[in-house]
Amino acid sequence: MHTLSAVVRDQVRPYLYRAFLAPLVLLLAPMAPAHSQSSLQQVADSSLFRALDLPTPTEVRTASGRPGAKYWQQRVDYRIAATLDPTRNELRGRETIHYVNHSPDALPYLWLFVEQNLCAPNSITNVLNQPPLVFLDATFDFSCQGFNGGGHLESLRIAGVDAKRTVYGTTMRIDLASPLAPDASLDIEAVWHFNVPPQGGGRMGHDGALYEMAQWYPRLCVYDDVHGWNHEPYIGAGEFYLEYGNFDVSLTVPASYIVVATTALPARLLYRVSEVSSLALS
């Protein structure tokens, strides 16, 4: 066996702006009689080029869409030690999550993603039974293909005390003993394990001895000034919206294995770079 350690970093996240365009709707009205004055029902502008209803500019977000003088974003650093057991198709780990509240709000609770619950028997993914996504010549199956798994959170502690937590599918809320004040921070200690689904569930799985691991560790949801907590459930086909920070990762795998990890910079795994939002392994 050998242990591989890495600290993965990247540049500060660019400002994220979302615009939602309503679908084009065609309304048809019957013709009025020829002898009467025609009238058309007034409808809202549905053009793709209409002016968007944007939030009022503030010191946090300017009218141009750029961060303002008082823009803020939270920070989350992870220290993770994990062991892969291919004979049991199991990944075990423990992590320390350092969370810094840069917002002006006192936070009475925190939301985490526990995406390892994607394949739990009662997961929303199994309830929805999503059809495969076909794109050009590729087919992406985001279901768990009948695999009953799910994550097992052995312990979750803050300052050495068991944290009060409630799991909602692939998300989890931690109720704090006292609100986390602005500019304050805390450490969350978690111990967990789960069985890796065969052939893939969402973006994680194994094909024989080949393992591809995304969404493999509990992690914080984003708290921002637009929506507050962004904790929509993960159903396999969703994209990432995560806080940025440092990753200090130690992996124990069989000696014959080769480990590759993603990074936003052109760097090898052993390079030390800073500030990325997530870590995926192959």
Side-chain angles (χ1 to χ4, degrees):
M1 306 288 285
H2 69 267
T3 300
L4 180 61
S5 299
V7 176
V8 182
R9 311 170 56 182
D10 188 5
Q11 298 178 348
V12 177
R13 172 179 67 178
Y15 174 69
L16 176 62
Y17 177 78
R18 299 176 176 175
F20 298 90
L21 299 180
L24 181 63
V25 179
L26 177 64
L27 299 178
L28 301 178
M31 294 289 293
H35 61 274
S36 64
Q37 183 179 2
S38 63
S39 62
L40 294 177
Q41 182 181 2
Q42 295 296 318
V43 298
D45 184 4
S46 59
S47 167
L48 295 179
F49 301 100
R50 71 191 185 281
L52 297 178
D53 183 16
L54 300 176
T56 302
T58 67
E59 291 185 286
V60 177
R61 295 176 184 264
T62 65
S64 69
R66 295 181 179 277
K70 294 186 177 180
Y71 177 76
W72 55 267
Q73 66 183 40
Q74 309 291 65
R75 181 183 179 89
V76 191
D77 297 323
Y78 296 88
R79 187 168 69 251
I80 307 172
T83 299
L84 176 66
D85 184 351
T87 61
R88 303 177 62 178
N89 293 320
E90 181 184 72
L91 186 69
R92 306 188 69 91
R94 60 176 60 245
E95 65 182 283
T96 299
I97 305 172
H98 182 69
Y99 186 74
V100 183
N101 180 17
H102 287 310
S103 81
D105 308 320
L107 304 178
Y109 52 81
L110 307 177
W111 280 95
L112 279 76
F113 282 122
V114 282
E115 295 138 318
Q116 304 75 36
N117 286 339
L118 176 72
C119 294
N122 60 346
S123 74
I124 189 173
T125 299
N126 288 330
V127 173
L128 291 176
N129 192 24
Q130 305 172 88
L133 173 65
V134 178
F135 180 73
L136 299 178
D137 295 330
T139 300
F140 303 91
D141 189 348
F142 295 105
S143 72
C144 291
Q145 305 177 43
F147 175 76
N148 288 328
H152 301 275
L153 194 59
E154 300 173 24
S155 67
L156 186 75
R157 296 176 179 173
I158 298 176
V161 179
D162 289 338
K164 180 182 178 182
R165 62 186 188 270
T166 307
V167 176
Y168 301 91
T170 53
T171 62
M172 177 175 64
R173 191 184 72 197
I174 300 177
D175 294 300
L176 303 177
S178 59
L180 183 64
D183 295 323
S185 63
L186 56 74
D187 288 341
I188 303 170
E189 304 283 346
V191 180
W192 44 265
H193 71 274
F194 66 93
N195 290 106
V196 183
Q199 304 302 322
R203 291 176 172 83
M204 174 178 64
H206 75 94
D207 184 359
L210 175 64
Y211 288 81
E212 183 177 22
M213 310 292 289
Q215 288 97 2
W216 57 277
Y217 54 94
R219 53 190 176 182
L220 262 294
C221 300
V222 170
Y223 184 79
D224 62 25
D225 63 292
V226 178
H227 302 289
W229 286 107
N230 295 260
H231 55 87
E232 294 83 358
Y234 172 65
I235 58 175
E239 294 295 338
F240 309 119
Y241 181 34
L242 299 169
E243 305 287 10
Y244 280 65
N246 290 341
F247 286 79
D248 185 337
V249 181
S250 297
L251 301 174
T252 301
V253 300
S256 60
Y257 275 46
I258 297 174
V259 180
V260 178
T262 59
T263 172
L265 294 180
R268 294 185 305 167
L269 179 62
L270 294 179
Y271 278 20
R272 292 177 177 259
V273 289
S274 90
E275 292 190 352
V276 297
S277 63
S278 63
L279 181 66
L281 304 171
S282 296

